[in-house]
Amino acid sequence: MLKVLLTFIFIRPFISSLAFPYLNSLYSALFLIFLIVWLIYKGISIRKIQPLKYPLTLLCLALIISVVFSIDKLNSLKELYKYISGILLFLIVASLTYENKIRLIRTVILAGFIISLLAIYQYFFGSQHILDYMSKEKITDSFALDYIQRRRAFFPFVTPNILAGYLVMIIPLALIDKNKIWLILPLSFALLLTKSLGALLSCSLALVIYFHLQGKLERKRAVFLFGLLVTFCLVFMARATTQKQHLQPIFSAVMRLNYWKDTLRMIKAKPLTGVGLGNFNLTLSRYAHN
């Protein structure tokens, strides 16, 4: 059963919910069924999850409250399965042996490595194919055209920032296996090709904090981190030169400030129960999305 679990984990990032909604629904249903079967036949280690019983209980309670007081209960029930899958996966992984956890982490890193190669390929070779296709099909979406014309990598996700957010989560995992530290190179290069300023900055700061806490902020690591910060500055200057407002760094920053203001409005409107799971797209609850 472990091999099936690793297979599910491996293929997850290749099925973007925005790019492949029907395939994503099929995957999610099969994955949830598999997790339930695992739970029935193999169970979980109560001892290993004992320290987290209170946070898990509070999370489950919050989910129940969110569904019960939802402004659209049907939407919330449709969304609830994602959280159920996440909780079951957490419980199962927490119950694995140390060796199997390492196998799972390596599976996640392998998927990230392949995705980084796909993103690099898209940057150097695939962008023109996409532009030709959009021209043939007369697709004129300005955001999509700008992403591709400015050669920002995003494949197999739908935006550069989503790919960058994914890579930022994978890069620290790749630091675990010293024998395969070279995997950092394609992952970091793909991150650079997304030209995502938020991802570059957050990755740099997170690694600085991590190495400092570990007492491993050596010269070679400091040089690497300094290189990331220099790259951030170069990307910032390159994006700041564009004439299109929605591509400039300041536009992204202002939008996020607006999202946070809207979040405060949402909290004030329903401070205890919220609007319910899955109700972001309803007119009465269209607030912050990140």
Side-chain angles (χ1 to χ4, degrees), residues 232-270:
F232 169 84
C233 295
L234 293 175
V235 173
F236 181 90
M237 289 187 291
R239 287 183 56 183
T241 58
T242 180
Q243 299 300 313
K244 297 181 179 180
Q245 183 185 17
H246 66 270
L247 293 178
Q248 294 183 356
I250 191 64
F251 176 83
S252 180
V254 170
M255 288 299 293
R256 278 162 175 74
L257 288 173
N258 289 333
Y259 295 150
W260 297 341
K261 290 178 182 177
D262 284 343
T263 301
L264 292 176
R265 287 172 49 204
M266 186 176 188
I267 294 171
K268 289 178 181 178
K270 287 184 174 289

Side-chain angles (χ1 to χ4, degrees), residues 18 24 35 57 61 75 89 93 95 115 135 159 171 178 201 213 228 265 275 286:
L18 294 175
N24 174 71
L35 293 174
T57 301
L61 182 62
N75 269 348
L89 177 61
V93 172
S95 302
I115 281 179
S135 176
T159 71
I171 288 174
K178 298 187 186 308
L201 182 60
L213 293 176
L228 273 179
R265 287 172 49 204
V275 296
R286 192 163 292 174

Side-chain angles (χ1 to χ4, degrees), residues 53-249:
K53 61 181 180 181
Y54 294 119
L56 285 172
T57 301
L58 288 174
L59 173 60
C60 293
L61 182 62
L63 292 174
I64 293 171
I65 292 173
S66 183
V67 173
V68 170
F69 293 96
S70 172
I71 60 178
D72 189 324
K73 290 182 174 59
L74 183 59
N75 269 348
S76 294
L77 288 172
K78 290 179 181 177
E79 191 76 7
L80 185 60
Y81 82 90
K82 298 178 183 178
Y83 291 88
I84 294 174
S85 296
I87 292 171
L88 291 180
L89 177 61
F90 177 84
L91 295 175
I92 289 170
V93 172
S95 302
L96 294 177
T97 63
Y98 176 80
E99 292 75 15
N100 286 336
K101 287 178 182 177
I102 294 298
R103 290 179 65 185
L104 191 145
I105 290 174
R106 287 175 175 168
T107 300
V108 172
I109 296 172
L110 177 60
F113 170 71
I114 294 175
I115 281 179
S116 68
L117 296 182
L118 291 174
I120 293 169
Y121 173 84
Q122 181 223 330
Y123 179 84
F124 287 105
F125 307 104
S127 296
Q128 189 57 49
H129 296 320
I130 300 174
L131 287 173
D132 292 342
Y133 174 80
M134 294 181 70
S135 176
K136 179 182 177 181
E137 298 296 325
K138 297 180 180 180
I139 300 173
T140 57
D141 184 275
S142 60
F143 275 83
L145 285 171
D146 286 335
Y147 282 145
I148 299 165
Q149 288 172 347
R150 293 183 66 80
R151 299 182 72 180
R152 294 186 65 185
F154 59 86
F155 188 79
F157 300 98
V158 295
T159 71
N161 288 336
I162 295 177
L163 172 60
Y166 168 76
L167 292 171
V168 164
M169 292 188 289
I170 302 298
I171 288 174
L173 290 178
L175 295 172
I176 293 174
D177 196 337
K178 298 187 186 308
N179 295 325
K180 297 182 180 179
I181 199 70
W182 54 271
L183 289 171
I184 289 290
L185 296 177
L187 291 168
S188 300
F189 188 44
L191 175 62
L192 172 62
L193 297 182
T194 65
K195 301 178 183 179
S196 174
L197 293 171
L200 285 169
L201 182 60
S202 62
C203 186
S204 302
L205 294 177
L207 289 175
V208 167
I209 294 171
Y210 171 76
F211 288 134
H212 175 70
L213 293 176
Q214 294 291 318
K216 297 179 179 179
L217 195 56
E218 302 166 357
R219 179 177 296 179
K220 59 181 180 181
R221 290 191 174 96
V223 171
F224 170 73
L225 294 171
F226 178 74
L228 273 179
L229 289 174
V230 170
T231 302
F232 169 84
C233 295
L234 293 175
V235 173
F236 181 90
M237 289 187 291
R239 287 183 56 183
T241 58
T242 180
Q243 299 300 313
K244 297 181 179 180
Q245 183 185 17
H246 66 270
L247 293 178
Q248 294 183 356

